[in-house]
Amino acid sequence: MDLLLRHAWLVDGSGGPGRAADVAVSGDRIDAIAGPGELTPSKQTQVVDLDGLVLAPGFIDVHTHYDAQILWDGDLTPSCWHGVTSVIMGNCGFGIAPTRPEHREVIVRTLENVEGMSMEALSAGIDWCFETFPQYMSALEQRPKRLNVGAFIGHSPLRLFVLDGQERAATADELDQMRALVREALDAGAVGLSTSRQPAHQGAFGRPVPSRFAEVDEVDALAGVLGEAGRGILQVSIGPGLFVNQFSELAVRHGIPVTWTALVSRADRPGAALRTVERGAALPGEVYPQIACRPIVMQITLTDPAPLGEIDEWKEVLARPRAERAAMFRDAAWRDRARPATLDAWSHRWSKIDVEETAAHQDVVGIPLDRLALERGTTPFDLMLDLALADGMSTRFRVVLENDGDDEIGALLADKRTLLGLSDAGAHATQLCDACYSTHLLGHWVRERKALTLEDAVWRLTGHPAQAFRVRERGLVREGYFADLVAFDPAAVGTTPIERAFDQPGGADRLIVRSTGVQHMWVNGVQARSGGEDIAGVAAGQLLRA
């Protein structure tokens, strides 16, 4: 054996009870699991005494957007700080392959508007050494990676590649071309196909993302390729024509797993999410609604108002360059048009929006906009615009978007018919950081709230996503499985306060959260973290091919 982990409290990812155990590793595989003291190391064996730390399979984050970041950050921070050893990217129909050279700006602007990524960072950081999806996968395989990485082929870049940006239904010939490219991607190892019909997904120049112009029959035909190939998962961001009934039909017709985002709780609609779980569970097919374990809270400036993109008047804003957006907010005619729709669409949110960062308005920080507007005799819509304009557009507003029904989140986490995901790691870089979902789950929901057991939480982070996404020989501590392992202190595991870092290409900023209590991590048998700190230069991650 190359490595012997002694005195562990083993929580193996199956959901079964924890137990005292020693675990041996040879090469990149788990070689043996035995009771304490039953395994004998050789002189060459590295022995690590875990002294009662929980030893679990490495966490698997199935909902990330690292497609671009991996090209400049092979460590995949901050996920690697939180016990995550495998990530799946390319969710929601987005990605950067396949992409023709003439479409690169559209792809970058789409990620800027929809996923809150810095256009400057993307332009400086993406090495366009690929055009097709197999070429992209080859580039990923060749790059040093701290974590294991799998990727969907996204419907939006696929459609842009074939239809050349035309906003219409595909012809029969174009559909055949897309089907062939999906099969090519699967043969190259794509974990499946992702798509979006989400009305809030406004892409380049304020236009709907390409996948939203596809008919539901197109999604069905592309999903059929997964069924014919006998591999791959369909991931959908919900929208018109694609919801619970259609997911069941797609799963049954093609014999494929389907996962959808996002099943969120809302404080003003208690019980609605659980009713959706019941509705979906009554239907046939392997369908996984994805849930988040944190409230979805964004910091937004009005130079990047992506969350408002589902409102027609704000689509006009997103269509303009950033430098021109302040002028629109000063335009009384635009305000008159945008005011009624914005007040109505965000009626349930104004009490959950406040100023978080500002140079000019320290006296209003933390005060809900609806209360502040009432005091000042204006509307929350006008107040938000006026505060931004008076601060040179630098004011950051804290917006509670979704998933604020705390008690219902606990109930959803306890319901094994849901799949934990939606970290969005790599996206919304300046707006939120939920890449810490794993340590938040273990600290807040297990230790503090006791909403689920440690064993169930580890299963949610490991065994369950491995099962749903067909991540072979990972997600469990089993003999013969890959040695993706994390050791943490259950009494200390958690998250640090959010920070703003300026570490992206071109000096662009992002929000990061660090972990507490995550002491050690191994990826494919190679130690990547020790004593609560990442080991520099480790790049043992592999490309996860379907």
Side-chain angles (χ1 to χ4, degrees):
M1 67 184 75
D2 297 313
L3 172 67
L4 177 60
L5 304 179
R6 278 186 162 161
H7 304 128
W9 184 256
L10 179 62
V11 179
D12 66 8
S14 68
R19 63 191 188 277
D22 290 353
V23 175
V25 174
S26 294
D28 62 358
R29 302 278 180 159
I30 297 168
D31 187 54
I33 305 166
E38 294 180 8
L39 298 175
T40 304
S42 69
K43 291 182 179 179
Q44 290 75 36
T45 302
Q46 178 190 8
V47 178
V48 178
D49 189 342
L50 295 182
D51 193 24
L53 292 174
V54 171
L55 181 66
F59 307 148
I60 301 172
D61 187 345
V62 297
H63 195 109
T64 80
H65 293 277
Y66 280 126
D67 312 70
Q69 184 179 324
I70 191 174
L71 299 178
W72 67 75
D73 175 21
D75 286 343
L76 297 168
T77 57
S79 290
C80 64
W81 305 335
H82 296 274
V84 173
T85 57
S86 298
V87 301
I88 306 296
M89 57 196 193
N91 283 273
C92 305
F94 306 126
I96 57 175
T99 297
R100 302 185 194 278
E102 61 267 29
H103 297 149
R104 290 171 183 171
E105 182 186 3
V106 174
I107 289 292
V108 166
R109 289 188 178 277
T110 295
L111 294 175
E112 177 192 36
N113 270 354
V114 180
E115 295 297 343
M117 300 179 186
S118 161
M119 186 172 177
E120 293 74 19
L122 293 169
S123 298
I126 296 177
D127 173 13
W128 292 104
C129 60
F130 54 86
E131 184 170 326
T132 68
F133 192 86
Q135 289 168 348
Y136 176 64
M137 292 290 276
S138 294
L140 294 182
E141 188 162 45
Q142 293 165 15
R143 272 176 163 70
K145 301 171 289 296
R146 183 176 288 267
L147 309 182
N148 305 308
V149 175
F152 285 105
I153 179 170
H155 195 180
S156 280
L158 173 66
R159 229 172 178 271
L160 185 62
F161 192 85
V162 172
L163 273 73
D164 195 25
Q166 297 180 73
E167 299 177 340
R168 56 169 174 78
T171 66
D173 180 62
E174 289 164 342
L175 185 55
D176 286 343
Q177 291 181 55
M178 284 190 281
R179 283 174 50 84
L181 290 172
V182 170
R183 184 55 191 254
E184 178 185 67
L186 291 175
D187 291 344
V191 300
L193 169 74
S194 69
T195 188
S196 172
R197 294 181 70 82
Q198 172 56 249
H201 283 168
Q202 297 297 126
F205 311 107
R207 300 297 300 158
V209 296
S211 66
R212 289 182 54 201
F213 292 101
E215 296 177 341
V216 174
D217 285 349
E218 178 178 312
V219 176
D220 181 80
L222 297 178
V225 179
L226 310 184
E228 293 161 11
R231 61 185 183 275
I233 187 169
L234 176 66
Q235 188 271 330
V236 184
S237 286
I238 58 174
L242 276 180
F243 196 46
V244 174
N245 289 351
Q246 291 76 29
F247 299 148
S248 170
E249 293 165 5
L250 287 165
V252 171
R253 180 159 51 249
H254 302 299
I256 60 173
V258 177
T259 183
W260 60 271
T261 54
L263 180 63
V264 295
S265 70
R266 277 178 48 176
D268 60 330
R269 294 182 182 175
L274 287 167
R275 289 191 292 272
T276 300
V277 173
E278 292 293 342
R279 177 182 163 191
L283 299 170
E286 187 180 357
V287 178
Y288 299 93
Q290 278 188 39
I291 61 169
C293 64
R294 290 166 60 87
I296 300 172
V297 181
M298 281 192 177
Q299 292 186 21
I300 67 168
T301 66
L302 293 192
T303 53
D304 289 303
L308 287 151
E310 61 188 307
I311 302 168
D312 286 344
E313 289 75 14
W314 287 87
K315 295 173 186 175
E316 301 172 27
V317 176
L318 292 171
R320 298 283 190 91
R322 290 183 184 179
E324 297 178 13
R325 291 173 181 177
M328 290 192 70
F329 301 148
R330 293 189 183 95
D331 181 357
W334 179 84
R335 283 200 185 198
D336 288 342
R337 287 190 294 110
R339 185 180 296 108
T342 309
L343 289 173
D344 180 61
W346 277 29
S347 60
H348 63 292
R349 290 193 176 127
W350 296 117
S351 63
K352 296 177 283 190
I353 302 174
D354 57 59
V355 172
E356 184 156 31
E357 295 182 27
T358 177
H361 311 297
Q362 293 298 326
D363 58 322
V364 303
V365 170
I367 303 174
L369 283 194
D370 61 345
R371 174 162 39 117
L372 197 61
L374 185 63
E375 293 173 357
R376 299 190 176 189
T378 185
T379 71
F381 164 80
D382 291 283
L383 178 61
M384 183 169 63
L385 297 177
D386 291 340
L387 290 172
L389 290 169
D391 196 16
M393 299 294 288
S394 64
T395 295
R396 293 186 181 275
F397 297 92
R398 179 181 181 273
V399 182
V400 180
L401 286 171
E402 304 286 359
N403 221 44
D404 58 339
D406 201 52
D407 290 338
E408 191 169 21
I409 294 175
L412 290 170
L413 287 169
D415 193 316
K416 295 185 178 182
R417 296 170 296 185
T418 64
L419 179 68
L420 182 62
L422 211 64
S423 84
D424 266 357
H428 307 292
T430 68
Q431 300 166 335
L432 60 74
C433 180
D434 284 344
C436 59
Y437 80 109
S438 54
T439 45
H440 178 81
L441 178 79
L442 295 167
H444 179 72
W445 290 107
V446 175
R447 185 179 63 248
E448 297 171 8
R449 293 289 300 274
K450 297 180 173 54
L452 68 169
T453 66
L454 177 62
E455 289 82 0
D456 280 346
V458 170
W459 171 78
R460 277 209 166 279
L461 294 166
T462 61
H464 195 210
Q467 168 200 323
F469 273 66
R470 312 308 199 248
V471 183
R472 294 186 307 111
E473 299 177 329
R474 301 183 195 271
L476 298 172
V477 180
R478 289 282 187 274
E479 292 179 4
Y481 273 48
F482 288 98
D484 293 343
L485 300 163
V486 58
F488 62 89
D489 179 355
V493 67
T495 62
T496 65
I498 200 164
E499 307 169 44
R500 189 170 297 280
F502 294 83
D503 60 356
Q504 298 292 279
D509 66 303
R510 63 171 176 157
L511 295 174
I512 58 172
V513 175
R514 303 181 189 275
S515 68
T516 59
V518 179
Q519 292 300 308
H520 306 284
M521 193 167 81
W522 292 265
V523 180
N524 297 308
V526 177
Q527 189 158 16
R529 188 175 180 87
S530 177
E533 298 291 337
D534 280 0
I535 301 172
V538 172
Q542 298 179 4
L543 184 63
L544 302 177
R545 297 181 185 269

